[in-house]
Structure formats: structure tokens, C-alpha cells
């Protein structure tokens, strides 16, 4: 009992933790209930790491845990639900790289308590299979069209027609999600929810179902569902535009442009909170943008649309065959991951069927067990509607390839025509004269740099020779000082005009002058002679290093000037190539 009470207490803490974190995001300041609901559910989805689980992985998890064999009204206890969630998250970690592993235990605890709080408000400790499937299929990651296809497979009969009672049950379950995040007054279930989606009681097939739920706008009770998916798609979209209210120089997420105020744009934060300034009003119609297109991209898109490369009025979803779809969590279900693969898969299937037929016709069958089965679980020959769709797509692809080839040909002709020829360049003597002048200056600077490099090498050779002479002089002074008994480190002082303090030599050493390096400096000019001009040698090493640094700086400035000349020459050449030829013409 004590252990059970501690578990219940821990569950309550985890339940409160998720809702406290959601309240800390301050989503309630969003004035529009649709955006407010979508933001809250998106937060729950990311906090529980459900956005990392694709809908097809979720369907596979349902099948692996035997949920496909259970009736929708069957109940499962919390312990089995925790086992199912554990398998989902552990399989997720196997698919993720090691650097992006999630905390499985924390994710299980947060999601388990959210599901219990949403679908077991009375505390029975049990959830129906349909409740769990509806919630996980709605809140997981993936495309909305794939989710709705799975939902339709759960609420349709064997002939592929939607059962209104099952759709009503789906609305009951899925609309508990907005209620769980305190948006029940706006999107709670009502008895008229089904009528708002399908006002006319008629035969609803898959394509009709997708048309209604993916329309713009969708049914009012489910308007938050496609918005939640659009939020996921624009979270990292960058708009290099300044917000007209908060003056932020960039926008992330949605961008809203006023249809009445010219150039007035708001970031999603300001629009959601109802901010407005200047002549703009919240009553003005705003257009939502989920991407940024530069003027160049807009022009190319307009040209492509005019050429027929971009279809106008694309349908919100691909058109699927009207025959009944098998429930997509059943074993051996064939799942088409994307509509763009329909034509390729059908061609492969037709090719394989033709090969089987050829092999069957060429072989003589003597054993009845070797005959190919006539009742295959999968129909290799596509139906008439699918073949028509394939033929239509192939014609469109062929037309598109021809248009792209024509565009490429025109681009090559334009590039060839825009390139200047030597005959065209000769007609512009001004550009040629400037180019020759720049090249002459470049050669002159290169010669100067070579001369400076040679001077620097000579200076370093002189420096090494002078250092050797100074070393010999110091050795001789030490020898004489040792003979006379004077200090080996003393040196003569010949006046007070020396700029550097020198040690004073002792008077007891006599007046015999020592050998100085000046005796060997014949023919050396510049800073070397200046260093011995006052009769007392300065720190020759420092002087020579300063001179070397000065030469180095001069060479650096010379190199920079040479590079600037190179850049100018290249610009002149480029100008001559791009515009010179045309000007000459």
C-alpha cells in the first residue's frame, strides 16, 4: 500500500510538472484560440518527444504490441499502456544517433500521465484501444495526410466507406486533447460536431474525407490540427524582414503581411498578441506567410508558372484509389510513403508481373503445386484509374523535361553571347590602355619588392658580421682587463652626450684605449655608422632590429599595394569582359 501510494504521488507530481511547464510558456496571452490551442499541443508533443516518432513507426508499434487484434472498445490498464509506451520510446532511441538519445523514463512518465489525465478523468485506471490509437496517431510526428489516412482506415467499413458513428467516436476522443490543455470551451465536443464536418449525410470515401479535413479552412472543430502541423514546419524558418511593431530585424516562424497597409508586416509574436501601431488595426486582413522568398526567387517562380512548370492550384493532397484500404495497422499492410513514389512503384509492379507471366508461359508445368497462384494477396496489375494517373504523370514529366532542356539551351546561348571576344575587346582602346598601365605598375612594384628583399638579406649579413666583431672586441677587453687587473665589464665613457646610461670604467686601469669595432666599419653606412657617431656604441642589435622591422613594414605595405593593384586589374578585366564588349558594340 505504501509503495502504491508513493507511485501515485510521483505520478501526480509528474502530471503537475507538465502542466506547470506549459503555463510557464505563457501561451494564454495569445488572443486567438486556434493558435493558442495549437501552441499548447505542440508544446506537449515536443516535451513528450512524440514529434520524433513518425506515424508509420507508431502504426508499427501498435502492430508489434497486438493492438491490431483488439476491438476498439476493448480496455487496457495503465500497466499495459506503460509497456506500450516503453516499446515506442526504446525503439525510438535505437533509431536516433547516440548524440541525440532521449530520456526514456522521463518521456514515458510525462506522456503516461498526460494520457491518463486526458482519457481517464474518472480514475478507473483503464483506457480504450481506440482512445489510445486516436491520441497517439494525432500527437505523433509525420505528415497530416498520412495520419488522416490511418484514421480513415480505422473508421471505415470493408467497402472503404466512412462509418459516421465511428467518425463521431473519433471526434469525441480527439477533441479531448484541447480540453486537456484548457481549451475545451473553444474546441470541445458537441453533438453537432459531425454535421459541421459533413453537413450532408452521404457516402464518404477516402478522398472526400481528406478533402474536407485538409480544406482551407478545415472544419471549425478541427481547425487547430493542421495549424499544429504548420507550426512544426515553420519553427526554424527565417524571414529577413523587420517587424513593424517590435522592430525586430528578423522573424522566426510565421510572418504576417497586412493587406491594406503597404509594407506593414508583423512577426508571429506581435500578431498573436494583437499588437498594432500607426494606421494599422487588428481589424485589417492579414496574410500568413510560412516561408521567405527573395525578389529573385519570386521572379523565377513567376516565370516558371508562366511556362507551366509550376501547376496552378495544386490539390492539398494526392488522389488515392477509391477501393477500400486495409486497416493500416494490420500485418503485411503495404504503405505508400509518399505520392511521388506512386508511378515508380506501379512501374516496378507491372514489370515484375510481366516477368512472372513470361516465366509462366515459357515453362511447362507438370506438377500442379508448381502453378502460380491465381488468387494473390496483392494485385500486381494496377487498375484502370491508376494506369491513367501514371500515364498522366509521365506526360507531365515529359513536358517538364522538354521545358527544362529548352531553358538550359537558352541559358547557354545567352552565356555565349555575353562573353566578350578578342575582336570586341580591341574596339575599346581606353580599357586596354588602363589595363596596360595597371600591369606596368604591378611589374614596377614587384621589382621594388625584390630589391627590398635583397637589401634585407644584405642587412642581415652585415648584422651577423657586426655581432661577430662585437664579440671579438669584448673578448679582447676581457683579456686586457685580466692583464691590468681591471673590471672585465667596464667600457670607456667619452662624454655626457650619450643617450644611453653606460657603466663607468675604473680609473685604476690606465689610459690605454681598447680596440673598438669602429676600426672594422669601413664601407658600412646608414644606421651602423650612426650607432658609433658619438664615440660610444649604442645597442647595435636593437638598432639593427628596428631597421629590419622598418623594412619589413615597408614590404608589408608594398605587398598590400600590390594586392590592391591586382584587385583593380581583375576588376578592370572583369568589367571589360562583362560590359566592355557590350559598350564597344
Amino acid at each position: 500500500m505504501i509503495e502504491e501510494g508513493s507511485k501515485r504521488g510521483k505520478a501526480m507530481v509528474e502530471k503537475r510538472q507538465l502542466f506547470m511547464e506549459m503555463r510557464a510558456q505563457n501561451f494564454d496571452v495569445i488572443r486567438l484560440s486556434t493558435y493558442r490551442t495549437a501552441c499548447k499541443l505542440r508544446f506537449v508533443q515536443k516535451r513528450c518527444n512524440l514529434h520524433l516518432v513518425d506515424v508509420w513507426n507508431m502504426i508499427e508499434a501498435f502492430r508489434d504490441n497486438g493492438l491490431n487484434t483488439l476491438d476498439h472498445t476493448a480496455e487496457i490498464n495503465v500497466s499495459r499502456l506503460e509497456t506500450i509506451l516503453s516499446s515506442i520510446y526504446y525503439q525510438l532511441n535505437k533509431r536516433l544517433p547516440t548524440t541525440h538519445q532521449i530520456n526514456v523514463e522521463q518521456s514515458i512518465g510525462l506522456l503516461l500521465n498526460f494520457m491518463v489525465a486526458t482519457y481517464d478523468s474518472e480514475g478507473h485506471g483503464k483506457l480504450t484501444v481506440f482512445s489510445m490509437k486516436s491520441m497517439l496517431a494525432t500527437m505523433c510526428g509525420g505528415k497530416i495526410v498520412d495520419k488522416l489516412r490511418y484514421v480513415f482506415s480505422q473508421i471505415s467499413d470493408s467497402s472503404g466507406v466512412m462509418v459516421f458513428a465511428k467518425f463521431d467516436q473519433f471526434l469525441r476522443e480527439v477533441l479531448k486533447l484541447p480540453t486537456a490543455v484548457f481549451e475545451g470551451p473553444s474546441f470541445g465536443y458537441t453533438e453537432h460536431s459531425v454535421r459541421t464536418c459533413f453537413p450532408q449525410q452521404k457516402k464518404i470515401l477516402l478522398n472526400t474525407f481528406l478533402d474536407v479535413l485538409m480544406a482551407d479552412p478545415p472544419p471549425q472543430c478541427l481547425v487547430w490540427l493542421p495549424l499544429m502541423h504548420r507550426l512544426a514546419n515553420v519553427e526554424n524558418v527565417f524571414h529577413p524582414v523587420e517587424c513593424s511593431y517590435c522592430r525586430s530585424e528578423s522573424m522566426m516562424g510565421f510572418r504576417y503581411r497586412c493587406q491594406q497597409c503597404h509594407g506593414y508586416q508583423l512577426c508571429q509574436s506581435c500578431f498573436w498578441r494583437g499588437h498594432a501601431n500607426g494606421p494599422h488595426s487588428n481589424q485589417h486582413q492579414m496574410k500568413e506567410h510560412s516561408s521567405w522568398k527573395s525578389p529573385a526567387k519570386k521572379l523565377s517562380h513567376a516565370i516558371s508558372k508562366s511556362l507551366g512548370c509550376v501547376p496552378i492550384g495544386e490539390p492539398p493532397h494526392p488522389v488515392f484509389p477509391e477501393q477500400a484500404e486495409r486497416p493500416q495497422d494490420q500485418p503485411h499492410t503495404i504503405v505508400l510513403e509518399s505520392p511521388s513514389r506512386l508511378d515508380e512503384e506501379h512501374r516496378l509492379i507491372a514489370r515484375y508481373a510481366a516477368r512472372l507471366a513470361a516465366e509462366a508461359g515459357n515453362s511447362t508445368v507438370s506438377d500442379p503445386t508448381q502453378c502460380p497462384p491465381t488468387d494473390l494477396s496483392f494485385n500486381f496489375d494496377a487498375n484502370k484509374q491508376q494506369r491513367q494517373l501514371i500515364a498522366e504523370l509521365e506526360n507531365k514529366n515529359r513536358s517538364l523535361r522538354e521545358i527544362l532542356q529548352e531553358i538550359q539551351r537558352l541559358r547557354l546561348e545567352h552565356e555565349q553571347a555575353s562573353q566578350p571576344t578578342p575582336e570586341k575587346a580591341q574596339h575599346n582602346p581606353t580599357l586596354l590602355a588602363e589595363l596596360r598601365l595597371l600591369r606596368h605598375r604591378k611589374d614596377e612594384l614587384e621589382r621594388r619588392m625584390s630589391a627590398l628583399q635583397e637589401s634585407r638579406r644584405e642587412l642581415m649579413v652585415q648584422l651577423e658580421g657586426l655581432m661577430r666583431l662585437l664579440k671579438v672586441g669584448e673578448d679582447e677587453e676581457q683579456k686586457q682587463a685580466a692583464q691590468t687587473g681591471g673590471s672585465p665589464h667596464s667600457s670607456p665613457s667619452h662624454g655626457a652626450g650619450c643617450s644611453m646610461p653606460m657603466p663607468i670604467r675604473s680609473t685604476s686601469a690606465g689610459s690605454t684605449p681598447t680596440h673598438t669595432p669602429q676600426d672594422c666599419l669601413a664601407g658600412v653606412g646608414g644606421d651602423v655608422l650612426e650607432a658609433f657617431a658619438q664615440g660610444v656604441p649604442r645597442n647595435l642589435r636593437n638598432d639593427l632590429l628596428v631597421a629590419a622591422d622598418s623594412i619589413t613594414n615597408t614590404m608589408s605595405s608594398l605587398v598590400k599595394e600590390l594586392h590592391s593593384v591586382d584587385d583593380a586589374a581583375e576588376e578592370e578585366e572583369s568589367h571589360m569582359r562583362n560590359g566592355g564588349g557590350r559598350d564597344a558594340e
Side-chain angles (χ1 to χ4, degrees):
M1 293 295 293
I2 298 177
E3 183 178 358
E4 183 179 355
S6 62
K7 289 183 178 180
R8 188 180 297 110
K10 181 180 179 181
M12 292 299 295
V13 171
E14 292 177 347
K15 174 185 174 182
R16 288 194 299 267
Q17 175 186 353
L18 181 62
F19 288 103
M20 289 174 62
E21 292 179 1
M22 185 179 66
R23 289 183 182 276
Q25 300 296 318
N26 202 19
F27 292 124
D28 290 330
V29 301
I30 301 176
R31 63 188 181 97
L32 301 176
S33 60
T34 304
Y35 288 93
R36 190 168 61 243
T37 304
C39 287
K40 289 181 178 180
L41 292 177
R42 175 62 178 167
F43 172 79
V44 174
Q45 181 191 47
K46 295 180 66 176
R47 188 65 182 86
C48 297
N49 290 313
L50 278 176
H51 66 296
L52 302 175
V53 184
D54 191 81
V55 61
W56 302 117
N57 299 126
M58 191 65 72
I59 295 172
E60 183 181 1
F62 293 161
R63 184 171 60 246
D64 293 342
N65 287 274
L67 298 180
N68 57 312
T69 61
L70 299 178
D71 188 78
H72 284 175
T73 59
E75 293 183 340
I76 58 175
N77 55 29
V78 176
S79 177
R80 185 174 180 186
L81 175 60
E82 184 175 3
T83 302
I84 297 172
L85 298 182
S86 301
S87 66
I88 293 173
Y89 283 116
Y90 280 114
Q91 290 296 324
L92 171 62
N93 257 354
K94 292 181 180 179
R95 295 189 298 269
L96 293 176
T98 55
T99 56
H100 293 75
Q101 298 287 297
I102 65 170
N103 189 335
V104 174
E105 297 299 330
Q106 185 183 35
S107 301
I108 294 173
L110 292 174
L111 181 57
L112 180 64
N113 287 283
F114 180 76
M115 294 182 66
V116 171
T118 304
Y119 294 101
D120 188 28
S121 58
E122 298 180 0
H124 296 305
K126 294 182 179 180
L127 278 74
T128 63
V129 172
F130 191 64
S131 298
M132 189 191 66
K133 286 184 177 180
S134 301
M135 186 272 176
L136 293 178
T138 304
M139 294 294 291
C140 67
K143 298 179 181 180
I144 185 172
V145 63
D146 295 332
K147 296 182 181 182
L148 293 178
R149 286 184 62 194
Y150 172 71
V151 170
F152 187 83
S153 70
Q154 301 296 304
I155 62 175
S156 58
D157 57 16
S158 58
S159 61
V161 179
M162 188 188 75
V163 180
F164 279 90
K166 291 184 177 180
F167 177 69
D168 181 77
Q169 184 62 30
F170 167 72
L171 288 181
R172 289 177 183 269
E173 303 300 336
V174 78
L175 291 179
K176 290 179 182 179
L177 293 172
T179 304
V181 294
F182 314 107
E183 297 296 333
S186 300
F187 300 105
Y189 172 81
T190 62
E191 296 180 356
H192 306 287
S193 298
V194 178
R195 298 177 188 173
T196 59
C197 298
F198 302 99
Q200 299 179 358
Q201 299 288 333
K202 59 181 181 179
K203 184 179 180 181
I204 305 298
L205 301 177
L206 173 61
N207 291 315
T208 306
F209 180 79
L210 296 177
D211 289 339
V212 172
L213 268 65
M214 297 183 65
D216 188 16
Q220 181 59 32
C221 61
L222 294 175
V223 68
W224 52 270
L225 182 58
L227 179 58
M228 186 177 71
H229 288 79
R230 297 206 310 272
L231 279 175
N233 294 331
V234 303
E235 283 182 346
N236 298 318
V237 173
F238 173 77
H239 306 270
V241 182
E242 182 184 36
C243 178
S244 300
Y245 184 85
C246 66
R247 299 302 177 185
S248 175
E249 296 182 355
S250 60
M251 301 182 190
M252 294 294 292
F254 287 121
R255 173 171 55 92
Y256 298 88
R257 177 188 290 273
C258 182
Q259 301 299 293
Q260 299 183 25
C261 305
H262 177 71
Y264 193 90
Q265 301 189 80
L266 293 176
C267 62
Q268 67 177 21
S269 178
C270 294
F271 175 74
W272 290 354
R273 286 158 176 78
H275 294 162
N277 58 349
H280 178 70
S281 171
N282 289 330
Q283 305 302 322
H284 291 180
Q285 184 179 2
M286 302 289 286
K287 186 176 180 180
E288 183 180 273
H289 295 272
S290 58
S291 62
W292 163 257
K293 290 183 180 179
S294 62
K297 288 185 178 180
K298 292 180 181 178
L299 179 61
S300 64
H301 184 75
I303 294 175
S304 301
K305 183 180 291 187
S306 64
L307 293 175
C309 299
V310 178
I312 302 175
E314 294 183 354
H317 65 85
V319 179
F320 296 99
E322 293 295 349
Q323 70 265 20
E325 285 197 346
R326 302 173 64 182
Q328 295 178 359
D329 57 354
Q330 294 292 334
H332 312 294
T333 301
I334 297 178
V335 176
L336 299 180
E337 296 181 357
S338 62
S340 62
R341 297 179 56 187
L342 278 172
D343 51 346
E344 182 65 20
E345 290 182 358
H346 286 312
R347 280 195 290 268
L348 291 175
I349 291 169
R351 192 182 309 162
Y352 183 66
R355 189 176 67 181
L356 288 179
E359 292 176 356
N362 294 332
S363 61
T364 58
V365 180
S366 59
D367 187 359
T369 59
Q370 297 179 356
C371 295
T374 58
D375 186 14
L376 298 177
S377 61
F378 183 83
N379 184 11
F380 290 102
D381 188 14
N383 58 23
K384 180 179 179 181
Q385 190 174 21
Q386 290 173 338
R387 288 195 297 270
Q388 292 176 353
L389 177 61
I390 294 171
E392 185 179 351
L393 290 175
E394 289 177 349
N395 292 332
K396 289 183 178 180
N397 289 336
R398 191 179 303 110
S399 301
L400 180 60
R401 284 195 297 269
E402 293 176 357
I403 292 173
L404 292 177
Q405 291 175 359
E406 182 66 17
I407 293 174
Q408 183 68 18
R409 185 184 63 80
L410 293 175
R411 184 183 293 113
L412 292 176
E413 292 180 358
H414 176 71
E415 291 177 355
Q416 293 174 358
S418 62
Q419 290 179 354
T421 60
E423 293 78 12
K424 294 180 181 179
Q426 291 176 359
H427 292 290
N428 198 338
T430 304
L431 292 176
L432 292 176
E434 292 179 356
L435 183 59
R436 284 194 296 268
L437 180 61
L438 288 173
R439 288 176 177 173
H440 177 71
R441 187 179 178 187
K442 174 183 177 182
D443 295 338
E444 182 182 354
L445 290 174
E446 287 179 348
R447 289 192 297 271
R448 288 179 56 189
M449 185 173 68
S450 300
L452 286 174
Q453 289 177 346
E454 185 65 27
S455 299
R456 184 183 183 190
R457 284 194 295 269
E458 294 177 357
L459 182 61
M460 296 305 296
V461 172
Q462 293 180 8
L463 176 62
E464 293 178 358
L466 291 175
M467 293 302 296
R468 286 195 296 269
L469 291 176
L470 290 176
K471 181 64 175 177
V472 171
E474 290 178 358
D475 294 341
E476 291 181 357
E477 285 183 1
Q478 291 177 359
K479 291 179 181 179
Q480 292 181 4
Q483 293 174 0
T484 60
S487 173
H489 300 288
S490 59
S491 62
S493 178
H494 294 278
C498 184
S499 62
M500 297 179 64
M502 302 294 292
I504 299 176
R505 184 174 180 178
S506 175
T507 56
S508 61
S511 61
T512 303
T514 61
H515 176 76
T516 64
Q518 289 178 343
D519 300 334
C520 301
L521 295 179
V524 179
D527 293 335
V528 178
L529 291 179
E530 184 182 354
F532 295 91
Q534 302 298 330
V536 178
R538 295 185 299 171
N539 192 337
L540 185 60
R541 180 183 299 175
N542 291 338
D543 293 340
L544 291 176
L545 291 176
V546 169
D549 291 339
S550 177
I551 293 176
T552 302
N553 295 333
T554 304
M555 290 181 64
S556 299
S557 62
L558 185 61
V559 171
K560 291 180 181 178
E561 186 176 359
L562 183 61
H563 288 172
S564 65
V565 172
D566 289 338
D567 295 338
E570 291 177 0
E571 290 180 1
E572 288 295 335
E573 290 178 356
S574 176
H575 176 69
M576 185 181 70
R577 287 196 303 267
N578 297 331
R582 290 191 292 270
D583 295 340
E585 290 178 353

